[in-house]
Amino acid sequence: MKSIQSDLKPSKRVPTLGAEATIALSRTASLVKHELEIELEEHGITLQQFNVLRILRGAKEPLPTMEIGARMIEREPGITRLLSRLEAKELVQRTRCTEDARRIWIAITDKGLNLLTDIGELSEFGVREPIQTLDSEELTVFIKILDKIRAAMPS
């Protein structure tokens, strides 16, 4: 029978390079996300709401609710609630599809576009200086590496 003390001994396993990279990526993502949330809070929206507005601006046309959900940086299970909050702030407008009443189209309003203009691009947030420590070649490689990791993810 194993003693309780043997279960409490620290592991002597050395983390793999992959494990270290995963932890470093997670910590960095958490710091970046926190800085973005602070900046967006000053504009009265959340990171998820900002993401929806960015998606709609980029689409240049109304999108169905599920398409917005699929394009989110972080999957949002409560996309309908998220859109309701944006609609209450008059940043998006919902329109029911005439051919299929179950389908709802979402469009960004002028007020939403103006807010995005006021906020500026992500590169203008508090993460600008740390990202600028990388030159354009390093940024290109960094983006390709992140794309490669995401492409290998199961979902």
Side-chain angles (χ1 to χ4, degrees):
M1 187 164 149
K2 259 193 333 189
S3 74
I4 293 175
Q5 250 181 342
S6 67
D7 287 344
L8 299 177
K9 288 182 185 173
S11 171
K12 293 191 182 191
R13 289 184 3 190
V14 177
T16 65
L17 212 47
E20 285 188 52
T22 301
I23 291 167
L25 178 62
S26 296
R27 290 185 69 211
T28 305
S30 178
L31 290 170
V32 169
K33 181 179 176 185
H34 178 71
E35 291 299 317
L36 295 174
E37 288 169 339
I38 290 170
E39 292 286 334
L40 291 170
E41 192 175 292
E42 293 175 16
H43 295 278
I45 62 171
T46 66
L47 187 54
Q48 291 81 10
Q49 291 170 343
F50 174 72
N51 192 16
V52 168
L53 295 176
R54 263 181 60 271
I55 290 166
L56 291 169
R57 177 183 62 188
K60 297 183 182 358
E61 63 184 15
L63 292 174
T65 302
M66 299 313 286
E67 178 67 22
I68 295 168
R71 293 185 187 190
M72 296 284 291
I73 292 172
E74 288 183 355
R75 299 289 160 95
E76 175 66 40
I79 189 74
T80 303
R81 244 186 337 263
L82 180 59
L83 293 170
S84 293
R85 288 186 189 113
L86 286 168
E87 188 176 34
K89 294 177 183 187
E90 299 176 348
L91 301 173
V92 301
Q93 178 181 338
R94 294 185 210 212
T95 307
R96 194 164 296 279
C97 179
T98 54
E99 293 85 36
D100 182 353
R102 296 170 296 175
R103 186 172 234 187
I104 296 175
W105 294 93
I106 310 297
I108 190 167
T109 62
D110 287 341
K111 186 175 178 181
L113 288 170
N114 291 337
L115 178 63
L116 287 180
T117 300
D118 290 345
I119 292 171
E121 294 301 317
L122 286 173
S123 61
E124 296 175 25
F125 288 142
V127 295
R128 182 180 189 178
E129 288 177 20
I131 291 294
Q132 285 183 334
T133 63
L134 303 175
D135 62 36
S136 61
E137 185 179 325
E138 289 171 319
L139 282 170
T140 301
V141 170
F142 180 61
I143 291 166
K144 284 181 182 178
I145 290 169
L146 292 174
D147 288 344
K148 187 174 181 178
I149 291 169
R150 275 193 313 278
M153 298 300 289
S155 56

